[in-house]
Amino acid sequence: MAKLLITGGAGFIGSHTCVVLLEAGYDLVVLDDFSNSSSRALDRVIALAGITPSESSAKRLVTVPGSINNSLVLEKVFREAIETGQPIEGVIHFAGLKAVGESVADPLRYWHVNVGGSISLINVMAAFSCHTLVFSSSATLYGYPDQVPIPETAPIQPINPYGHSKAAVERLLNDLAASAPGQWRIACLRYFNPVGAHASGRIGEDPLGIPNNLFPFVSQVAVGRRERLQIFGGDWSTPDGTCVRDYIHVMDLAEGHKAALDCLLTEAPQLLTLNLGSGRGISVLEVVNAFGQACGQPVPHTIVDRRPGDAAITVADPSEALRRLGWSTRRSLDDICRDGWAWQSANPAGYGQRG
Ligand code: UFG
């Protein structure tokens, strides 16, 4: 079975995708600098995928601590894979920074890691003739969308440095594919709002510091780590006045990555750009109420002023992913909350460590 490099494989989406890929038989090399992740996630990934010592977890999932900005480490990964007789056949590139506010405060760091790091990775891939890449893009590219549900053909109009960094890498990948027709196999996957956790509750989202995003904040209020959720705005032009998003269960997202990779490895070289979302709009209040049902008590909340930079409604048109990959989401909002609560209640302090 093919060997893959997973950058950022210890992170939230990366770790869940590793479980799906290991179960499908892929061998993995995970490169992660553990700046916002824990190696404990990878220990649990190995256990969840049912890899026994006799099967040698070291062979099925090799961990390499390091940054995508370090070309020497990247070269070593590709070289050693060749020496073991199993070259890297494809890369899933999750590694990157993802906090919108932080990107406004420190754009240089965002361009360095998200854009510079991607260039460093792609250079090494090209040097080792590895031309298959799945890239973590984001619905953030659409900015304030002109139409919902949002198709992939909608204008790219990011409104913050994080979004610009994702747009720049997508642009680069399009230029690269056009420069060598028939060579590159690339998928840019535009995630909507990834939430939930593995149904076992063993792996999940463990944000650093105070969560920026709704779902981990709600989970931490439910488990008693924070007192009360602030809902940013109750006067939006939406059915209940709170913002509407397309929340996607992280295991649906993980399966979307496997579907994209399988498609790239079997079809003729191509560049795919796909929304990964459910196509279903859910309001902030609906999330809060569903989570209250899942954890058995209401989640305390207060409606406060709007947060700058929010759009009223963002929902994916996911029909292209269904057409090209045969993939669509299978899990409901109740599944999301049940699994998110399984993780948070069993791990109130997350993994309890970085690195
Ligand atoms: N929200 C609250 N209270 C909170 C946190 C969030 O009410 O404490 C609301 C937001 O105002 C928004 C909704 O919950 O209406 C979702 O907010 P998130 O921060 O969870 O998600 P966003 O839709 O803002 O952000 C997502 C991704 C980002 C990406 C962005 C733009 O998490 O990485 O979409 O596409 F940049």
Side-chain angles (χ1 to χ4, degrees):
M1 193 78 181
K3 181 181 273 187
L4 307 172
L5 169 62
I6 316 293
T7 75
F12 174 42
I13 305 169
S15 56
H16 290 77
T17 304
C18 284
V19 173
V20 169
L21 294 170
L22 287 169
E23 285 174 347
Y26 287 102
D27 292 327
L28 309 180
V29 179
V30 168
L31 176 74
D32 203 299
D33 69 0
F34 298 106
S35 57
N36 189 17
S37 60
S38 169
S39 58
R40 287 186 185 155
L42 294 175
D43 297 338
R44 295 184 185 185
V45 163
I46 289 169
L48 284 174
I51 295 171
T52 58
S54 61
E55 224 186 334
S56 164
S57 63
K59 182 181 165 295
R60 296 292 320 280
L61 189 154
V62 175
T63 304
V64 179
S67 161
I68 47 170
N69 287 93
N70 186 338
S71 304
L72 294 178
V73 173
L74 286 166
E75 283 163 9
K76 192 160 175 277
V77 165
F78 279 86
R79 201 176 328 108
E80 286 184 355
I82 291 171
E83 284 164 8
T84 61
Q86 207 190 5
I88 305 278
E89 286 183 38
V91 178
I92 306 187
H93 178 29
F94 292 106
L97 304 173
K98 58 171 187 176
V100 170
E102 193 180 69
S103 80
V104 175
D106 194 354
L108 187 56
R109 183 157 163 253
Y110 271 69
W111 280 81
H112 177 65
V113 175
N114 290 2
V115 182
S118 297
I119 293 173
S120 141
L121 171 67
I122 296 161
N123 263 319
V124 175
M125 288 177 66
F128 283 85
S129 300
C130 175
H131 296 115
T132 302
L133 175 65
V134 177
F135 171 61
S136 297
S137 189
S138 170
T140 196
L141 296 186
Y142 300 121
Y144 302 114
D146 303 333
Q147 58 178 122
V148 282
I150 310 170
E152 289 85 353
T153 49
I156 303 301
Q157 45 194 17
I159 54 166
N160 53 60
Y162 165 67
H164 284 293
S165 73
K166 291 290 177 188
V169 177
E170 277 208 12
R171 181 67 260 160
L172 162 64
L173 293 173
N174 277 269
D175 292 347
L176 189 65
S179 72
Q183 187 165 60
W184 288 88
R185 300 162 187 268
I186 295 173
C188 296
L189 303 182
R190 296 177 178 167
Y191 314 153
F192 279 68
N193 291 59
V195 288
H198 190 273
S200 66
R202 295 291 291 155
I203 56 172
E205 187 170 13
D206 181 19
L208 195 59
I210 300 171
N212 296 309
N213 297 117
L214 177 68
F215 198 83
F217 204 108
V218 169
S219 313
Q220 292 189 8
V221 172
V223 85
R225 264 174 81 176
R226 307 199 181 273
E227 211 167 299
R228 169 172 289 273
L229 170 76
Q230 295 193 323
I231 295 181
F232 300 133
D235 58 351
W236 296 90
S237 45
T238 58
D240 65 17
T242 64
C243 288
V244 169
R245 293 288 179 274
D246 186 329
Y247 295 95
I248 173 172
H249 193 298
V250 65
M251 289 304 290
D252 279 329
L253 191 55
E255 289 164 7
H257 285 75
K258 181 188 168 293
L261 186 81
D262 290 346
C263 171
L264 292 180
L265 290 173
T266 51
E267 291 187 2
Q270 61 183 319
L271 186 145
L272 287 168
T273 301
L274 298 172
N275 286 338
L276 295 188
S278 68
R280 156 195 72 193
I282 296 172
S283 76
V284 173
L285 273 174
E286 285 174 306
V287 171
V288 171
N289 291 334
F291 205 96
Q293 290 288 323
C295 74
Q297 54 185 12
V299 177
H301 59 270
T302 311
I303 296 188
V304 299
D305 286 348
R306 293 180 179 192
R307 178 173 73 174
D310 275 340
I313 306 179
T314 58
V315 175
D317 174 349
S319 54
E320 191 66 3
L322 178 61
R323 197 172 71 78
R324 302 301 296 267
L325 308 179
W327 171 91
S328 59
T329 60
R330 298 190 288 135
R331 294 164 178 88
S332 67
L333 176 60
D334 289 344
D335 296 332
I336 286 171
C337 294
R338 183 198 59 224
D339 297 343
W341 180 239
W343 155 251
Q344 192 69 73
S345 54
N347 304 272
Y351 293 109
Q353 67 163 36
R354 287 286 178 288

